[in-house]
Amino acid sequence: MEFSIKSTSPDKHKTACAVAGVYQQRKLTPAARALDQAAGGVLSKLLRRGDCDGKAGSTLLVQAPAGLHCERILLVGLGKENEVADKDYRDAVRAAVKAVSGTGASEASSYLAEVKVGQRGLDWKIEQAVMAAGETLYRFDELKSEKDDAKPALRKVTLMVTAGETRTAEAASARSQAIVKAMNLAKDLGNLPGNICTPTYLADQARAVAKASGLKIQVLEQKDIEKLGMGSFLSVAKGSEQPPKFIVMQYHGGAKGAKPVVLVGKGITFDSGGISLKPGAEMDEMKYDMCGAASVLGSMQALAELGLALNVVGLIPTCENLPSGRANKPGDIVTSMSGQTIEVLNTDAEGRLILCDALTYAERFDPVAVVDVATLTGACVIALGHVVSGLLANDDALARELLQAGEASGDRCWQLPLLDDYQEQLKSNFADMANIGGRPAGTITASAFLSRFAKKYKWAHLDIAGTAWKSGKGKGGTGRPVPLLVHFLAGRSQGS
Ligand code: BES
Ligand code: MN
Ligand code: ZN
């Protein structure tokens, strides 16, 4: 999909489909009114006849309006004027993309950026439009011999703005296109099954992204990981025939010697639970247990594409969690790279076991901040559902930054309290700590565990167990939290 920005007036602009808004009570937006006037009042006539009531997300297609340079007009309902909320706008844009895709038009021009959406600026409206288009047009049919419905014909969208807005709109459009590309990469990797998307496959993909984007990359193999003393990570990997990989990617866009932000992504390419085997129902969804890794990989690609002015390191520990004669057993005690010992009371709490060694490895970059991203706990899905990601941090300013990046991108997170009191639940009789803290506050005790390995820097943890993919009929990766991460990094980019 290709996007461009233009500021021609509606009555003069040539397009296969002009998309404009209508409010409830059948009131046209300024662009729709201009189209209506140029077309001899065809739109107001239809509205009077009751063909479109302006409810958010409703659409009305008008073919071949006379007196205009466009072949079609698509009217999109926005809800009540001056009360258009974030969701109304997103619904409207999504409905518009769907409706245009249903016509034969390969190109369309949208005037929806003129709509007032609360306090949201133009950049937000452009970005939401590009992301909604990306979401609506995404397909994953690589592995089907017959492709889903025919690929949508829509290939080019022009976002119409006023003359003074083109620069802001162009920047927002570029940023959101990079985000959509990165989300699609993250979705693809998540949707791929565990027998294809193995740790080796992930490492190969990371190499390909690094090559195309000019990133530095190093893939540490089993023996390198052993040398580093990552006994906790390796204990999870050893139940599987697939060799583990530890991927290190580096982007240098900032000043030489400027401390980097380090992103860490959980890369369990399949989580069976190990010896503490998961129940069979929906176990297939544990192929998504590498979505943290995929979002880090996508974000690295996006930030290189945007040329953001900062230094960023991406770390991805990746392996499978399977039961076997060599697998971790409940009660086993392992020694992490930090030297701290861990009693593995449940082999299904494996995410923290691979992340803790990555967090220790992060120390060598002397980071300004570390953010890890992980499908870490089922408890997070219970606490927050599929709406917001869980956020825990040892630094309030960093937490605030991530909350704001979530608000700005529409990819929101919500903070949970990382209080010392929770550490008690991790007590072990035989090692420095246990890898589980019991049923209460499972998301918090998981991050309490991680916090013991993140003492040397400012650190935040995003639990994306509820947000990284959708279950049920529309099962599939969401590409979250790529928008949040890219906004966070863009906010740290010098000169932005
Ligand atoms: N990958 C899972 C977390 C998960 C479960 C994400 C369901 C999304 C949906 C993680 O490795 C896990 O199994 N966590 C356990 C921890 C428990 C044993 C303390 C969990 O949440 O049940
Ligand atoms: Mn698990
Ligand atoms: Zn897991």
Side-chain angles (χ1 to χ4, degrees):
M1 176 76 103
E2 203 188 302
F3 291 90
S4 58
I5 306 289
K6 268 219 178 98
S7 60
T8 329
S9 70
D11 52 324
K12 297 207 184 70
H13 181 64
K14 212 174 148 213
T15 178
C17 186
V19 179
V22 53
Y23 297 109
Q24 236 162 350
Q25 267 93 47
R26 310 196 171 123
K27 182 168 178 218
L28 296 169
T29 62
R33 216 176 310 131
L35 289 166
D36 186 45
Q37 271 160 18
V42 60
L43 299 179
S44 25
K45 202 180 296 165
L46 286 169
L47 290 183
R48 270 199 306 275
R49 253 180 26 191
D51 285 38
C52 181
D53 57 9
K55 281 221 180 74
S58 62
T59 59
L60 173 68
L61 185 69
V62 182
Q63 292 281 2
L68 276 176
H69 298 278
C70 59
E71 294 159 25
R72 307 167 184 80
I73 299 173
L74 182 75
L75 277 186
V76 188
L78 296 163
K80 292 210 179 93
E81 190 180 9
N82 296 320
E83 289 178 29
V84 181
D86 288 6
K87 189 176 171 300
D88 298 326
Y89 182 80
R90 265 196 293 258
D91 285 349
V93 178
R94 248 184 245 135
V97 177
K98 264 210 192 104
V100 176
S101 305
T103 73
S106 62
E107 173 272 325
S109 303
S110 163
Y111 293 94
L112 295 178
E114 68 176 344
V115 177
K116 184 175 164 293
V117 186
Q119 299 298 310
R120 296 296 194 179
L122 178 70
D123 46 359
W124 182 88
K125 288 185 277 187
I126 295 289
E127 191 165 308
Q128 293 301 316
V130 173
M131 293 206 305
E135 195 185 313
T136 312
L137 300 177
Y138 177 81
R139 296 282 182 283
F140 185 78
D141 51 16
E142 265 173 65
L143 302 172
K144 292 196 179 201
S145 30
E146 270 173 56
K147 306 300 171 204
D148 285 347
D149 33 19
K151 284 254 180 309
L154 184 60
R155 273 194 307 273
K156 192 167 175 293
V157 172
T158 308
L159 302 164
M160 307 301 290
V161 298
T162 61
E165 293 175 331
T166 48
R167 278 202 29 195
T168 311
E170 256 150 26
S173 163
R175 187 174 59 211
S176 41
Q177 286 182 68
I179 290 175
V180 167
K181 248 169 89 183
M183 289 173 85
N184 288 349
L185 171 65
K187 288 180 191 179
D188 283 348
L189 290 172
N191 288 333
L192 281 170
N195 64 327
I196 294 177
C197 185
T198 58
T200 304
Y201 182 90
L202 254 185
D204 289 344
Q205 291 304 303
R207 280 195 195 95
V209 168
K211 194 162 173 211
S213 312
L215 301 166
K216 210 171 122 192
I217 184 162
Q218 194 186 5
V219 177
L220 306 180
E221 305 289 339
Q222 168 97 26
K223 57 180 190 320
D224 308 312
I225 305 169
E226 278 165 14
K227 258 188 229 139
L228 286 165
M230 294 187 174
S232 185
F233 174 28
L234 287 169
S235 79
V236 177
K238 72 190 177 174
S240 158
E241 302 287 323
Q242 294 289 339
K245 308 275 169 182
F246 191 94
I247 306 166
V248 184
M249 304 177 84
Q250 296 190 55
Y251 169 72
H252 290 284
K256 229 189 174 156
K259 295 179 175 190
V261 171
V262 176
L263 302 177
V264 182
K266 172 178 173 182
I268 296 288
T269 59
F270 188 76
D271 180 13
S272 71
I275 296 295
S276 312
L277 193 64
K278 285 182 181 295
E282 282 138 42
M283 205 207 273
D284 66 290
E285 295 189 7
M286 283 297 117
K287 71 176 181 179
Y288 290 110
D289 213 14
M290 35 53 69
C291 283
S295 73
V296 168
L297 185 52
S299 300
M300 295 297 292
Q301 173 187 284
L303 91 124
E305 185 173 335
L306 294 171
L308 296 187
L310 79 169
N311 298 331
V312 182
V313 178
L315 301 179
I316 297 175
T318 172
C319 68
E320 292 184 321
N321 185 25
L322 293 180
S324 85
R326 273 188 299 274
N328 264 338
K329 302 174 292 298
D332 282 2
I333 293 178
V334 301
T335 303
S336 66
M337 183 179 174
S338 72
Q340 298 177 90
T341 58
I342 305 161
E343 185 181 16
V344 182
L345 287 177
N346 189 320
T347 66
D348 197 12
E350 86 297 340
R352 60 199 80 180
L353 293 177
I354 75 169
L355 290 171
C356 68
D357 282 340
L359 289 174
T360 301
Y361 188 83
E363 287 174 7
R364 68 183 53 205
F365 299 101
D366 189 18
V368 261
V370 177
V371 180
D372 80 72
V373 190
T375 47
L376 202 62
T377 63
C380 192
V381 189
I382 302 302
L384 300 174
H386 306 286
V387 177
V388 293
S389 302
L391 166 68
L392 297 105
N394 67 9
D395 182 82
D396 277 338
L398 178 59
R400 235 173 292 127
E401 237 178 299
L402 287 159
L403 287 166
Q404 271 160 15
E407 285 301 322
S409 63
D411 180 6
R412 297 166 71 200
C413 56
W414 199 262
Q415 193 174 4
L416 298 174
L418 181 62
L419 302 173
D420 269 344
D421 310 56
Y422 291 99
Q423 292 292 350
E424 236 170 90
Q425 288 175 240
L426 295 173
K427 273 198 179 136
S428 157
N429 283 355
F430 307 108
D432 298 341
M433 70 195 89
N435 77 328
I436 52 170
R439 299 232 317 148
T443 303
I444 303 178
T445 53
S447 28
F449 177 97
L450 293 177
S451 74
R452 297 180 180 218
F453 301 85
K455 292 223 161 99
K456 303 223 167 109
Y457 43 70
K458 292 173 183 171
W459 159 78
H461 160 68
L462 288 166
D463 194 328
I464 57 166
T467 52
W469 75 92
K470 287 188 178 135
S471 310
K473 204 166 145 267
K475 192 189 289 182
T478 61
R480 291 177 70 182
V482 167
L484 188 163
L485 290 174
V486 175
H487 271 258
F488 164 69
L489 296 170
R492 286 205 165 216
S493 170
Q494 283 139 31
S496 73

